[in-house]
Amino acid sequence: MLQAGADIDNSETLTERQQAVLDAALRLLVEEGDNLTMTAVARRASCSKETLYKWFGDRDGLLTATVQWQASKVRVTPVDRKGLDLASLTASLERFASDWLKVISSDTSIALNRVAVGHAGSGKDDLGAIVLQNGRFALAKRLKPVLEAGRQAGLLDFEDAETAFRTFFGLVGRDVQIRLLLGDRVELTEATIGGDARRATQQFLALFGANNRLQSL
């Protein structure tokens, strides 16, 4: 069976202990932001600095693993390229949209992104690039195969997968992330997130659904 969208990332090879360390690093980012150090993470996670260096190499390696761990919570439901139908495609897109909204609205992601924005262009470290490469860009690599499968199945009609992905990403996120980063207390309940995910998916299908595109010609 040929499947598109199967999640492949470093989180699959992490042990439970390593996952706990990364969760501790995320909590420290929320509490201390810019002041995250290997010493502080080792103390919070009750492990030695030597263990951290062995597992992650250095602070940038730890930050990269932390971002990857957070991004892995946005799941892309694999779809069968040969038997893909509109219901399966819709479910995969809605799952991605719902997970992404849950992740970006979490205290950990807000804190992480605030630190990354503050560091961008400062020369402090490469956190901004780390978040881009292992967050937004990595998510695109995971969802584009699903979009491509939808096009091959005759369900979607687009010329460029990157443009299609950016459109879907924008429909899902709207102004939510920037409002959260600026301190707006946007209320995102499970019901709200589910409704937003369904709405964004339907709007995307209205724009790129093959049948809709044919009817508009």
Side-chain angles (χ1 to χ4, degrees):
M1 180 183 297
L2 298 177
Q3 291 189 322
D7 286 356
I8 301 174
D9 56 56
N10 291 341
S11 66
E12 293 182 349
T13 60
L14 292 172
T15 66
E16 289 187 8
R17 180 62 178 131
Q18 288 168 331
Q19 292 174 10
V21 169
L22 295 178
D23 282 335
L26 284 168
R27 288 193 297 272
L28 279 171
L29 277 170
V30 174
E31 297 169 13
E32 302 183 13
D34 226 7
N35 299 319
L36 183 73
T37 65
M38 299 291 270
T39 299
V41 173
R43 185 180 304 115
R44 175 62 64 91
S46 300
C47 68
S48 68
K49 286 203 307 182
E50 289 74 15
T51 297
L52 293 183
Y53 284 112
K54 177 182 177 182
W55 284 346
F56 307 111
D58 56 16
R59 185 174 182 272
D60 276 0
L62 174 63
L63 289 172
T64 298
T66 300
V67 174
Q68 290 174 339
W69 174 232
Q70 185 71 352
S72 72
K73 298 170 186 175
V74 182
R75 295 157 292 180
V76 179
T77 303
V79 296
D80 180 3
R81 287 182 180 273
K82 291 186 175 180
L84 182 61
D85 57 19
L86 184 59
S88 298
L89 177 64
T90 299
S92 183
L93 293 176
E94 286 184 2
R95 172 74 170 272
F96 176 93
S98 177
D99 282 356
W100 188 60
L101 285 171
K102 289 175 184 176
V103 167
I104 65 169
S105 61
S106 67
D107 288 341
T108 51
S109 281
I110 293 171
L112 182 62
N113 281 296
R114 282 174 176 164
V115 175
V117 170
H119 281 204
S122 69
K124 291 183 178 180
D125 54 35
D126 295 324
L127 184 57
I130 289 170
V131 169
L132 273 176
Q133 291 297 328
N134 298 282
R136 186 266 185 233
F137 293 156
L139 293 177
K141 289 180 181 178
R142 288 159 55 192
L143 188 65
K144 282 181 186 179
V146 173
L147 301 180
E148 294 281 9
R151 179 168 61 176
Q152 291 173 12
L155 301 172
L156 298 176
D157 181 16
F158 56 83
E159 294 182 359
D160 178 65
E162 174 64 16
T163 299
F165 172 80
R166 290 174 65 185
T167 301
F168 184 56
F169 213 58
L171 290 170
V172 175
R174 297 168 295 144
D175 64 347
V176 171
Q177 191 168 34
I178 187 63
R179 287 172 62 189
L180 290 168
L181 291 176
L182 293 174
D184 192 2
R185 302 307 300 174
V186 181
E187 185 177 356
L188 289 177
T189 63
E190 286 280 345
T192 301
I193 288 174
D196 286 348
R198 287 189 294 274
R199 188 178 304 109
T201 300
Q202 290 306 311
Q203 290 170 340
F204 178 76
L205 292 174
L207 289 171
F208 292 101
N211 290 337
N212 292 330
R213 296 291 286 271
L214 288 174
Q215 293 171 6
S216 67
L217 295 178

